[in-house]
Amino acid sequence: METDDFKRRQWRSRLTLLLIVVFFFGSFGIAAVLRFSGWEPASHRNFGEMQSPPLDFSAQNFIRADGSPYPWQPELNRWRIVVVSDKPCLAACVEMMDTLKRVWTSQGRHSERIDVLWFGPLPAQPPSFTGFVPMRFDSDLAKALAQNGSAGGYPVTIIDSGGFAVLRYPAGFNPNELRKDLAKLVK
């Protein structure tokens, strides 16, 4: 009798150990399957299109509209929202500037680390917020980013503090998507 009881306890102990091992390593297996199948939680996805490979603009000299150079200063950890257009600034242009001002303002205390670089013509009354930097139109930059304003809107590119173009938003993009991506990046 004692042997049957001993065997039953031994079997129960082994089963418990086996269940612990299955639960422990099973979670790693599930995580590996999800990771290698390409699944990502929605909170970790970018809304903008990743620039692949990222374009490096750190060595390029950008010129402000007033003729002064725009310094990269990577040590300040500043992010740039870049819009390039050689079209006259009409209603769609003014609307885009207002949208970018709202996106910039929505970043709260982090907005001081974001510059909105506008390469191209300005309206009679350009926006007045500290992050807005009027720039001289740069055709090489427009070609490199493959963006130019049109009747359908203005594409936008995010350039990181090191000078790499990392995310691109097509004309007519949802400003909330830009706002959410910036919030994740600028933290």
Side-chain angles (χ1 to χ4, degrees):
M1 262 241 181
E2 192 174 294
T3 313
D4 287 342
D5 191 38
F6 176 74
K7 286 182 180 179
R8 197 176 304 130
R9 279 186 286 161
Q10 189 177 26
W11 183 81
R12 211 177 301 152
S13 295
R14 287 181 181 162
L15 182 61
T16 304
L17 178 62
L18 181 64
L19 286 172
I20 291 171
V21 168
V22 165
F23 282 126
F24 182 75
F25 288 109
S27 62
F28 286 112
I30 291 169
V33 166
L34 290 174
R35 166 69 174 96
F36 293 114
S37 70
W39 180 82
E40 264 185 66
S43 63
H44 292 290
R45 289 189 197 130
N46 294 322
F47 293 102
E49 176 187 329
M50 293 290 289
Q51 289 285 107
S52 184
L55 302 172
D56 184 6
F57 293 105
S58 60
Q60 193 163 348
N61 296 321
F62 292 150
I63 306 297
R64 294 174 188 250
D66 65 7
S68 64
Y70 176 82
W72 277 111
Q73 299 174 321
E75 66 277 2
L76 295 179
N77 197 21
R78 296 188 76 77
W79 290 77
R80 286 100 182 156
I81 300 172
V82 176
V83 179
V84 181
S85 176
D86 62 351
K87 310 284 189 258
C89 192
L90 303 174
C93 165
V94 173
E95 184 179 328
M96 175 55 81
M97 288 182 180
D98 182 58
T99 298
L100 293 177
K101 178 181 179 180
R102 291 171 193 267
V103 168
W104 181 84
T105 304
S106 73
Q107 299 306 309
R109 64 186 172 94
H110 297 294
S111 64
E112 64 191 31
R113 293 182 30 227
I114 302 169
D115 283 341
V116 176
L117 305 181
W118 187 276
F119 290 85
L122 297 170
Q125 294 294 326
S128 60
F129 61 99
T130 55
F132 185 77
V133 184
M135 306 292 288
R136 277 197 187 151
F137 179 76
D138 187 331
S139 60
D140 292 335
L141 177 66
K143 287 177 193 168
L145 295 178
Q147 66 170 238
N148 207 349
S150 68
Y154 294 84
V156 170
T157 302
I158 294 179
I159 298 180
D160 70 7
S161 58
F164 290 93
V166 291
L167 289 174
R168 183 178 189 285
Y169 301 84
F173 68 94
N174 181 345
N176 274 336
E177 294 175 352
L178 174 62
R179 181 189 58 77
K180 289 175 185 176
D181 281 349
L182 271 175
K184 286 186 274 186
L185 294 170
V186 178
K187 282 185 181 180

